[in-house]
Each structure stands twice: as C-alpha cells, then as structure tokens.
Coordinates of all heavy atoms in Angstrom, one line a residue:
L24 N 144.6 105.1 117.2 CA 144.7 106.5 116.9 C 144.3 107.3 118.2 O 144.9 108.4 118.4 CB 143.8 106.9 115.7 CG 143.9 108.2 115.1 CD1 145.4 108.5 114.6 CD2 143.0 108.4 114.0
E25 N 143.3 106.9 118.9 CA 142.8 107.6 120.1 C 143.9 107.5 121.2 O 143.9 108.4 122.0 CB 141.5 107.0 120.6 CG 140.4 107.1 119.6 CD 140.0 108.6 119.3 OE1 140.1 109.4 120.2 OE2 139.7 108.8 118.1
L26 N 144.7 106.5 121.2 CA 145.7 106.4 122.3 C 146.9 107.2 122.1 O 147.7 107.5 123.0 CB 146.1 104.9 122.5 CG 144.9 104.0 122.9 CD1 145.4 102.5 122.9 CD2 144.3 104.4 124.2
A27 N 147.2 107.6 120.9 CA 148.4 108.3 120.5 C 148.3 109.8 121.1 O 147.2 110.4 121.1 CB 148.6 108.4 119.0
T28 N 149.4 110.2 121.6 CA 149.4 111.6 122.2 C 150.2 112.6 121.4 O 149.9 113.8 121.4 CB 149.9 111.6 123.7 OG1 151.2 111.0 123.7 CG2 149.0 110.7 124.6
D29 N 151.2 112.1 120.7 CA 152.0 113.0 119.9 C 151.3 113.4 118.6 O 150.9 112.5 117.8 CB 153.3 112.3 119.5 CG 154.2 113.1 118.7 OD1 154.5 114.3 119.0 OD2 154.7 112.6 117.6
P30 N 151.1 114.7 118.3 CA 150.4 115.1 117.1 C 151.0 114.6 115.8 O 150.3 114.3 114.9 CB 150.4 116.6 117.2 CG 150.7 117.0 118.6 CD 151.5 115.8 119.2
D31 N 152.3 114.6 115.7 CA 153.0 114.1 114.5 C 152.6 112.6 114.3 O 152.4 112.2 113.2 CB 154.5 114.3 114.6 CG 154.9 115.8 114.6 OD1 154.1 116.6 114.0 OD2 155.9 116.1 115.1
Y32 N 152.7 111.8 115.4 CA 152.4 110.4 115.3 C 150.9 110.2 114.9 O 150.6 109.4 114.1 CB 152.7 109.7 116.6 CG 152.5 108.2 116.6 CD1 153.3 107.4 115.7 CD2 151.6 107.6 117.4 CE1 153.1 106.1 115.7 CE2 151.4 106.3 117.4 CZ 152.1 105.5 116.5 OH 151.9 104.1 116.5
K33 N 150.0 111.0 115.5 CA 148.6 110.9 115.2 C 148.3 111.2 113.7 O 147.6 110.6 113.1 CB 147.8 111.9 116.1 CG 147.6 111.4 117.5 CD 146.9 112.5 118.3 CE 145.5 112.0 118.7 NZ 144.8 112.9 119.6
F34 N 149.0 112.3 113.2 CA 148.9 112.6 111.8 C 149.3 111.5 110.9 O 148.6 111.1 110.0 CB 149.7 113.9 111.5 CG 149.7 114.3 110.1 CD1 148.6 114.9 109.5 CD2 150.7 114.0 109.2 CE1 148.5 115.3 108.2 CE2 150.7 114.3 107.9 CZ 149.6 115.0 107.4
E35 N 150.5 110.9 111.2 CA 151.0 109.8 110.4 C 150.0 108.6 110.4 O 149.8 108.0 109.4 CB 152.4 109.4 110.8 CG 153.4 110.5 110.5 CD 153.5 110.9 109.0 OE1 153.3 110.0 108.1 OE2 153.7 112.1 108.7
L36 N 149.5 108.3 111.6 CA 148.6 107.2 111.7 C 147.3 107.5 110.9 O 146.8 106.6 110.2 CB 148.2 107.0 113.2 CG 149.1 106.1 114.0 CD1 148.6 106.1 115.5 CD2 149.2 104.7 113.4
A37 N 146.8 108.7 111.0 CA 145.6 109.0 110.3 C 145.8 108.9 108.8 O 144.9 108.4 108.1 CB 145.1 110.4 110.7
V38 N 146.9 109.4 108.3 CA 147.3 109.3 106.9 C 147.4 107.8 106.5 O 146.8 107.4 105.5 CB 148.6 110.1 106.6 CG1 149.1 109.7 105.3 CG2 148.3 111.6 106.7
Q39 N 148.1 107.0 107.2 CA 148.3 105.6 106.9 C 147.0 104.9 106.9 O 146.8 103.9 106.1 CB 149.3 105.0 107.8 CG 150.7 105.4 107.7 CD 151.6 104.8 108.7 OE1 151.2 104.0 109.5 NE2 152.9 105.3 108.7
L40 N 146.1 105.2 107.7 CA 144.8 104.6 107.8 C 143.8 105.1 106.8 O 142.6 104.6 106.6 CB 144.2 104.7 109.2 CG 145.0 103.9 110.3 CD1 144.4 104.2 111.7 CD2 144.9 102.4 110.0
G41 N 144.1 106.2 106.1 CA 143.3 106.8 105.1 C 142.2 107.7 105.7 O 141.2 108.1 105.0
F42 N 142.4 108.1 106.9 CA 141.4 109.0 107.6 C 141.8 110.5 107.3 O 142.4 111.2 108.2 CB 141.4 108.8 109.1 CG 140.9 107.4 109.5 CD1 141.4 106.9 110.7 CD2 140.1 106.7 108.7 CE1 141.0 105.6 111.1 CE2 139.7 105.4 109.1 CZ 140.1 104.9 110.3
L43 N 141.6 110.9 106.1 CA 142.1 112.3 105.7 C 141.4 113.4 106.4 O 142.0 114.4 106.7 CB 141.9 112.4 104.2 CG 142.6 111.4 103.3 CD1 142.5 111.8 101.8 CD2 144.1 111.3 103.7
E44 N 140.1 113.3 106.7 CA 139.4 114.3 107.5 C 140.0 114.4 108.9 O 140.2 115.5 109.4 CB 137.9 114.1 107.5 CG 137.2 114.1 106.2 CD 137.3 115.5 105.5 OE1 137.4 116.5 106.2 OE2 137.3 115.5 104.3
R45 N 140.3 113.3 109.5 CA 140.9 113.3 110.8 C 142.4 113.9 110.8 O 142.7 114.7 111.6 CB 141.0 111.8 111.3 CG 141.5 111.7 112.7 CD 140.4 112.1 113.7 NE 140.5 111.5 115.0 CZ 140.0 110.3 115.3 NH1 139.4 109.6 114.4 NH2 140.2 109.9 116.5
A46 N 143.1 113.5 109.7 CA 144.4 114.1 109.5 C 144.3 115.6 109.3 O 145.2 116.3 109.9 CB 145.1 113.4 108.3
H47 N 143.3 116.1 108.7 CA 143.1 117.5 108.5 C 142.9 118.2 109.8 O 143.5 119.3 110.1 CB 141.9 117.7 107.5 CG 141.6 119.2 107.3 ND1 140.6 119.8 107.9 CD2 142.2 120.1 106.5 CE1 140.5 121.1 107.5 NE2 141.5 121.3 106.6
A48 N 142.1 117.6 110.7 CA 141.9 118.2 112.0 C 143.1 118.3 112.8 O 143.4 119.2 113.5 CB 140.8 117.4 112.7
I49 N 144.0 117.3 112.7 CA 145.2 117.2 113.4 C 146.2 118.3 112.9 O 146.8 119.0 113.7 CB 145.9 115.8 113.3 CG1 145.0 114.8 114.1 CG2 147.3 115.8 113.9 CD1 145.3 113.4 113.8
V50 N 146.3 118.4 111.6 CA 147.3 119.3 111.0 C 146.9 120.8 111.2 O 147.7 121.7 111.2 CB 147.6 119.0 109.5 CG1 146.5 119.5 108.6 CG2 148.9 119.5 109.1
L51 N 145.6 121.0 111.5 CA 145.2 122.4 111.8 C 145.9 122.9 113.0 O 146.1 124.1 113.1 CB 143.7 122.4 112.1 CG 142.8 122.4 110.8 CD1 141.3 122.2 111.2 CD2 142.9 123.7 110.0
E52 N 146.3 122.0 113.9 CA 147.0 122.4 115.2 C 148.4 122.7 114.9 O 149.1 123.4 115.7 CB 146.7 121.4 116.2 CG 145.3 121.2 116.6 CD 145.1 120.0 117.5 OE1 146.1 119.4 118.0 OE2 143.9 119.6 117.7
S53 N 149.0 122.0 114.0 CA 150.5 122.1 113.8 C 151.0 123.1 112.8 O 152.1 123.6 112.9 CB 151.1 120.7 113.4 OG 150.8 120.4 112.1
E54 N 150.2 123.4 111.8 CA 150.5 124.4 110.8 C 151.8 124.1 110.1 O 152.6 125.0 109.7 CB 150.6 125.8 111.4 CG 149.2 126.4 111.8 CD 148.2 126.5 110.7 OE1 148.5 126.8 109.6 OE2 147.1 126.1 111.0
S55 N 152.1 122.8 109.9 CA 153.3 122.4 109.1 C 153.0 122.4 107.6 O 152.1 121.7 107.1 CB 153.6 120.9 109.6 OG 154.6 120.4 108.7
E56 N 153.8 123.2 106.9 CA 153.6 123.3 105.5 C 153.8 122.0 104.8 O 153.1 121.7 103.8 CB 154.6 124.4 105.0 CG 154.3 124.9 103.6 CD 155.1 126.1 103.2 OE1 155.0 127.1 103.9 OE2 155.8 126.0 102.2
Q57 N 154.8 121.2 105.3 CA 155.0 119.9 104.7 C 153.8 118.9 104.8 O 153.5 118.2 103.9 CB 156.3 119.3 105.3 CG 156.6 117.9 104.7 CD 156.9 116.9 105.7 OE1 156.9 117.1 106.9 NE2 157.2 115.7 105.3
K58 N 153.2 119.0 106.0 CA 152.1 118.1 106.3 C 150.9 118.6 105.4 O 150.1 117.8 105.0 CB 151.7 118.1 107.8 CG 152.7 117.3 108.6 CD 152.2 117.2 110.0 CE 153.1 116.3 110.8 NZ 154.2 116.9 111.4
W59 N 150.7 119.9 105.3 CA 149.6 120.4 104.4 C 149.8 119.9 103.0 O 148.8 119.5 102.4 CB 149.6 121.9 104.4 CG 149.0 122.5 105.6 CD1 149.6 123.3 106.6 CD2 147.6 122.4 106.1 NE1 148.7 123.7 107.5 CE2 147.5 123.1 107.3 CE3 146.5 121.7 105.5 CZ2 146.3 123.2 107.9 CZ3 145.3 121.8 106.2 CH2 145.2 122.5 107.4
K60 N 151.0 119.9 102.5 CA 151.3 119.4 101.1 C 151.0 118.0 101.0 O 150.4 117.5 100.1 CB 152.7 119.8 100.7 CG 153.0 119.2 99.3 CD 154.2 119.8 98.7 CE 154.6 119.2 97.3 NZ 153.6 118.6 96.6
Q61 N 151.5 117.2 102.0 CA 151.3 115.7 102.0 C 149.8 115.4 102.0 O 149.3 114.6 101.2 CB 152.0 115.1 103.2 CG 151.8 113.6 103.3 CD 152.4 113.1 104.6 OE1 153.0 113.8 105.4 NE2 152.3 111.8 104.8
L62 N 149.1 116.1 102.8 CA 147.6 115.9 102.9 C 146.9 116.3 101.6 O 146.0 115.6 101.2 CB 147.0 116.6 104.1 CG 145.6 116.3 104.5 CD1 145.3 114.8 104.6 CD2 145.2 117.1 105.7
G63 N 147.3 117.4 101.1 CA 146.8 117.9 99.8 C 147.0 116.9 98.7 O 146.1 116.6 97.9
D64 N 148.2 116.3 98.6 CA 148.5 115.3 97.6 C 147.6 114.0 97.8 O 147.1 113.5 96.8 CB 150.0 114.9 97.6 CG 150.9 116.0 97.1 OD1 150.4 117.0 96.5 OD2 152.1 116.0 97.4
L65 N 147.5 113.6 99.0 CA 146.6 112.5 99.3 C 145.2 112.7 99.0 O 144.5 111.8 98.5 CB 146.8 112.1 100.8 CG 148.1 111.5 101.2 CD1 148.2 111.4 102.7 CD2 148.3 110.1 100.5
A66 N 144.7 113.9 99.2 CA 143.3 114.3 98.9 C 143.1 114.3 97.4 O 142.0 113.9 96.9 CB 143.0 115.7 99.5
I67 N 144.1 114.7 96.6 CA 144.0 114.7 95.2 C 143.8 113.2 94.7 O 143.0 112.9 93.9 CB 145.2 115.3 94.5 CG1 145.1 116.9 94.6 CG2 145.3 115.0 93.0 CD1 146.4 117.6 94.2
N68 N 144.7 112.4 95.3 CA 144.6 110.9 94.9 C 143.3 110.3 95.3 O 142.9 109.4 94.6 CB 145.7 110.2 95.6 CG 147.1 110.5 95.1 OD1 147.2 111.0 94.0 ND2 148.1 110.2 95.9
D69 N 142.6 110.8 96.3 CA 141.3 110.3 96.7 C 140.2 111.1 96.1 O 139.0 110.9 96.4 CB 141.1 110.3 98.2 CG 141.8 109.2 98.9 OD1 142.4 108.3 98.2 OD2 141.6 109.1 100.2
A70 N 140.5 112.0 95.2 CA 139.5 112.8 94.5 C 138.7 113.7 95.4 O 137.5 114.0 95.2 CB 138.6 112.0 93.6
K71 N 139.3 114.1 96.6 CA 138.6 115.0 97.5 C 139.2 116.4 97.2 O 140.1 116.9 97.9 CB 138.9 114.6 98.9 CG 138.3 113.2 99.2 CD 138.5 112.8 100.7 CE 137.8 111.5 100.9 NZ 138.0 111.0 102.2
L72 N 138.7 117.0 96.1 CA 139.4 118.2 95.6 C 139.1 119.4 96.5 O 140.0 120.3 96.5 CB 139.0 118.4 94.1 CG 139.4 117.3 93.2 CD1 138.9 117.6 91.8 CD2 140.9 117.0 93.2
D73 N 138.0 119.5 97.2 CA 137.8 120.6 98.1 C 138.8 120.6 99.2 O 139.4 121.6 99.6 CB 136.4 120.5 98.6 CG 135.3 120.9 97.6 OD1 135.7 121.6 96.6 OD2 134.2 120.5 97.8
L74 N 139.0 119.4 99.8 CA 140.0 119.2 100.8 C 141.4 119.5 100.3 O 142.2 120.2 100.9 CB 140.0 117.8 101.4 CG 141.0 117.5 102.5 CD1 140.8 118.4 103.7 CD2 140.9 116.1 102.9
A75 N 141.7 119.0 99.1 CA 143.0 119.2 98.4 C 143.2 120.7 98.3 O 144.3 121.2 98.6 CB 143.0 118.5 97.1
E76 N 142.2 121.5 97.8 CA 142.4 122.9 97.6 C 142.7 123.6 98.9 O 143.7 124.4 99.0 CB 141.1 123.5 97.0 CG 141.3 125.0 96.8 CD 140.0 125.6 96.3 OE1 138.9 125.0 96.4 OE2 140.1 126.8 95.9
Q77 N 142.0 123.3 100.0 CA 142.3 123.9 101.3 C 143.7 123.6 101.7 O 144.4 124.5 102.2 CB 141.4 123.3 102.4 CG 139.9 123.7 102.2 CD 139.1 122.9 103.2 OE1 139.5 122.6 104.3 NE2 137.8 122.6 102.8
C78 N 144.1 122.4 101.6 CA 145.5 122.0 102.1 C 146.6 122.6 101.2 O 147.6 123.1 101.7 CB 145.6 120.5 102.0 SG 144.5 119.6 103.1
L79 N 146.4 122.6 99.9 CA 147.4 123.2 99.0 C 147.5 124.7 99.1 O 148.6 125.3 98.9 CB 147.2 122.7 97.6 CG 147.2 121.2 97.4 CD1 146.8 120.8 96.0 CD2 148.6 120.7 97.6
L80 N 146.4 125.3 99.4 CA 146.5 126.8 99.7 C 147.4 127.1 100.9 O 148.2 128.0 100.9 CB 145.1 127.4 99.9 CG 144.3 127.6 98.6 CD1 142.8 127.9 99.0 CD2 144.9 128.8 97.8
R81 N 147.2 126.3 102.0 CA 148.0 126.5 103.2 C 149.4 126.1 103.0 O 150.3 126.7 103.6 CB 147.4 125.6 104.3 CG 146.0 126.0 104.7 CD 146.0 126.2 106.2 NE 144.6 126.6 106.6 CZ 144.3 126.8 107.8 NH1 145.2 126.6 108.8 NH2 143.1 127.1 108.1
A82 N 149.7 125.1 102.1 CA 151.1 124.7 101.8 C 151.7 125.7 100.7 O 152.9 125.6 100.5 CB 151.1 123.3 101.2
K83 N 150.9 126.5 100.2 CA 151.4 127.4 99.1 C 152.0 126.6 97.9 O 153.0 127.0 97.4 CB 152.4 128.4 99.6 CG 151.8 129.3 100.7 CD 152.9 130.3 101.3 CE 152.3 131.1 102.4 NZ 152.8 130.7 103.7
D84 N 151.3 125.5 97.6 CA 151.7 124.6 96.5 C 151.0 125.0 95.2 O 149.9 124.6 94.9 CB 151.4 123.2 96.9 CG 151.9 122.2 95.9 OD1 152.3 122.6 94.8 OD2 151.8 121.0 96.2
L85 N 151.7 125.9 94.5 CA 151.1 126.4 93.3 C 150.9 125.4 92.2 O 149.8 125.4 91.5 CB 151.9 127.6 92.7 CG 152.1 128.8 93.7 CD1 152.9 129.9 93.0 CD2 150.8 129.3 94.3
A86 N 151.8 124.5 92.1 CA 151.7 123.4 91.1 C 150.5 122.5 91.4 O 149.7 122.1 90.5 CB 152.9 122.6 91.0
G87 N 150.3 122.2 92.7 CA 149.2 121.3 93.1 C 147.9 122.0 92.9 O 146.9 121.4 92.4
L88 N 147.9 123.3 93.2 CA 146.6 124.1 93.0 C 146.3 124.2 91.5 O 145.1 124.2 91.1 CB 146.8 125.5 93.6 CG 146.7 125.6 95.1 CD1 147.2 127.0 95.6 CD2 145.3 125.3 95.6
L89 N 147.3 124.3 90.6 CA 147.1 124.3 89.2 C 146.4 123.1 88.8 O 145.4 123.1 88.0 CB 148.4 124.5 88.4 CG 148.3 124.5 86.9 CD1 147.4 125.7 86.4 CD2 149.7 124.6 86.3
L90 N 146.8 121.9 89.3 CA 146.2 120.7 89.0 C 144.7 120.6 89.4 O 143.8 120.2 88.7 CB 147.0 119.5 89.6 CG 146.4 118.1 89.4 CD1 146.4 117.7 88.0 CD2 147.2 117.1 90.2
V91 N 144.5 121.1 90.7 CA 143.1 121.1 91.2 C 142.2 122.0 90.4 O 141.1 121.6 90.0 CB 143.1 121.5 92.7 CG1 141.7 121.7 93.2 CG2 143.8 120.4 93.5
Y92 N 142.7 123.2 90.2 CA 141.8 124.2 89.5 C 141.5 123.8 88.0 O 140.4 124.0 87.5 CB 142.4 125.6 89.5 CG 142.4 126.2 90.9 CD1 143.4 127.0 91.3 CD2 141.4 126.0 91.8 CE1 143.4 127.6 92.6 CE2 141.4 126.5 93.1 CZ 142.4 127.4 93.5 OH 142.4 127.9 94.7
S93 N 142.6 123.2 87.4 CA 142.3 122.8 86.0 C 141.4 121.6 86.0 O 140.6 121.5 85.0 CB 143.6 122.5 85.3 OG 144.4 121.5 85.9
S94 N 141.5 120.7 86.9 CA 140.6 119.6 87.0 C 139.1 120.0 87.2 O 138.2 119.3 86.7 CB 141.0 118.6 88.1 OG 142.3 118.1 87.9
L95 N 139.0 121.0 88.0 CA 137.6 121.5 88.3 C 137.1 122.5 87.3 O 135.9 122.8 87.3 CB 137.6 122.2 89.7 CG 137.9 121.3 90.9 CD1 138.0 122.1 92.2 CD2 136.7 120.3 91.1
G96 N 138.0 122.9 86.4 CA 137.5 124.0 85.5 C 137.2 125.3 86.2 O 136.4 126.0 85.8
N97 N 138.0 125.6 87.2 CA 137.8 126.7 88.1 C 138.6 127.9 87.5 O 139.7 128.1 87.9 CB 138.2 126.4 89.5 CG 137.9 127.5 90.5 OD1 137.8 128.6 90.1 ND2 137.9 127.1 91.8
A98 N 137.9 128.7 86.7 CA 138.6 129.9 86.1 C 139.0 130.9 87.1 O 140.1 131.5 87.0 CB 137.7 130.5 85.0
A99 N 138.1 131.2 88.1 CA 138.5 132.2 89.1 C 139.7 131.7 89.9 O 140.5 132.5 90.3 CB 137.3 132.4 90.0
G100 N 139.7 130.4 90.2 CA 140.9 129.9 90.9 C 142.1 130.0 90.1 O 143.2 130.3 90.7
M101 N 142.1 129.8 88.8 CA 143.2 129.9 87.9 C 143.7 131.3 87.9 O 144.9 131.6 87.9 CB 142.9 129.4 86.5 CG 142.5 127.9 86.5 SD 143.9 126.9 86.5 CE 144.4 126.9 84.8
E102 N 142.8 132.3 87.8 CA 143.2 133.7 87.8 C 143.8 134.1 89.1 O 144.9 134.8 89.1 CB 141.9 134.6 87.6 CG 141.4 134.5 86.2 CD 140.2 135.4 86.0 OE1 140.0 136.4 86.7 OE2 139.3 135.0 85.1
S103 N 143.3 133.6 90.2 CA 143.9 133.9 91.5 C 145.3 133.3 91.6 O 146.2 133.9 92.2 CB 143.0 133.4 92.6 OG 143.6 133.5 93.9
L104 N 145.4 132.1 91.1 CA 146.7 131.4 91.1 C 147.7 132.1 90.3 O 148.9 132.3 90.7 CB 146.5 130.0 90.6 CG 147.7 129.1 90.6 CD1 148.3 128.9 92.0 CD2 147.4 127.7 90.0
A105 N 147.3 132.6 89.1 CA 148.2 133.4 88.3 C 148.7 134.7 88.9 O 149.9 135.0 88.9 CB 147.5 133.7 86.9
K106 N 147.8 135.3 89.6 CA 148.1 136.5 90.4 C 149.1 136.2 91.5 O 150.1 136.9 91.7 CB 146.9 137.2 91.0 CG 147.2 138.5 91.6 CD 145.9 139.1 92.2 CE 146.1 140.4 92.9 NZ 147.2 140.6 93.7
S107 N 148.9 135.1 92.2 CA 149.8 134.7 93.3 C 151.2 134.4 92.8 O 152.2 134.8 93.4 CB 149.2 133.5 94.0 OG 148.1 133.8 94.7
A108 N 151.2 133.7 91.6 CA 152.5 133.3 91.0 C 153.2 134.6 90.6 O 154.4 134.7 90.8 CB 152.2 132.4 89.9
A109 N 152.5 135.5 90.0 CA 153.2 136.8 89.6 C 153.7 137.6 90.8 O 154.8 138.1 90.7 CB 152.2 137.6 88.8
D110 N 152.9 137.6 91.8 CA 153.3 138.3 93.0 C 154.5 137.7 93.7 O 155.4 138.4 94.2 CB 152.2 138.4 94.1 CG 151.0 139.3 93.6 OD1 151.2 140.1 92.7 OD2 150.0 139.2 94.2
D111 N 154.6 136.4 93.6 CA 155.7 135.7 94.3 C 157.0 135.7 93.4 O 158.1 135.4 93.9 CB 155.4 134.2 94.5 CG 154.4 134.1 95.6 OD1 154.1 135.1 96.4 OD2 153.8 133.0 95.8
G112 N 156.8 136.1 92.1 CA 158.0 136.2 91.2 C 158.2 134.9 90.5 O 159.0 134.3 90.2

C-alpha cells in the first residue's frame, strides 16, 4: 500500500485489505461520489456507523443514510434526511 502512487489504486488496495480508515483518508483527496458510497457501504458492513454516516453524507446516499439513522435510532438524523429528501424532490 505504501508503494502505490495512484490514488485510485491505493483506495482499492485499502478497501481490499479492510483498511477502511486508510481508504477514508485516501478518498478525502479524490472527492469521488462513487468511492464515498462504496466506503459507506463497507463501513455499514463492518458496523462502523459513524464512518458510514460521514461517507454516505458525502455520497448523498439517502437510502444508506436511512439505514444508518434507523439503526442508531437517530431521530434528528431522520428529520434532517426527510428534509433533504423533500428538498431534492
């Protein structure tokens, strides 16, 4: 992972190795909506819901956020999500 120079390749390696925090640091530089969603989904699978929320917010993945907020019992998050969904149409 340290030898890789291409950010996309580094991200994929970090994901494959299960280094989600490292993948998060890499994706901060690229701002790829697809990578944010991928990382958010992986974080949900690993029960890292705080990381999942951060990633899914950046990916604008309302369905994923609904899953996270309902799992956490986060009423404020659900309200915010409902407002975002209404604003987006």
Side-chain angles (χ1 to χ4, degrees):
L24 191 60
E25 296 300 322
L26 298 176
T28 57
D29 178 48
D31 292 332
Y32 183 62
K33 282 176 116 172
F34 175 79
E35 291 304 324
L36 274 177
V38 164
Q39 289 175 8
L40 294 171
F42 299 152
L43 300 186
E44 297 298 330
R45 184 75 155 273
H47 180 256
I49 295 166
V50 78
L51 280 171
E52 299 171 11
S53 74
E54 293 300 320
S55 167
E56 198 169 296
Q57 182 227 359
K58 285 186 174 90
W59 282 116
K60 179 167 177 17
Q61 180 183 359
L62 186 56
D64 291 344
L65 291 169
I67 287 173
N68 289 339
D69 278 4
K71 295 180 178 179
L72 299 181
D73 289 336
L74 177 61
E76 179 184 14
Q77 292 174 32
C78 296
L79 296 172
L80 281 168
R81 294 231 184 177
K83 299 178 183 111
D84 182 352
L85 301 183
L88 285 167
L89 178 62
L90 177 63
V91 170
Y92 291 146
S93 61
S94 297
L95 293 172
N97 184 340
M101 296 281 275
E102 287 178 29
S103 174
L104 182 61
K106 184 179 180 321
S107 293
D110 290 346
D111 290 347

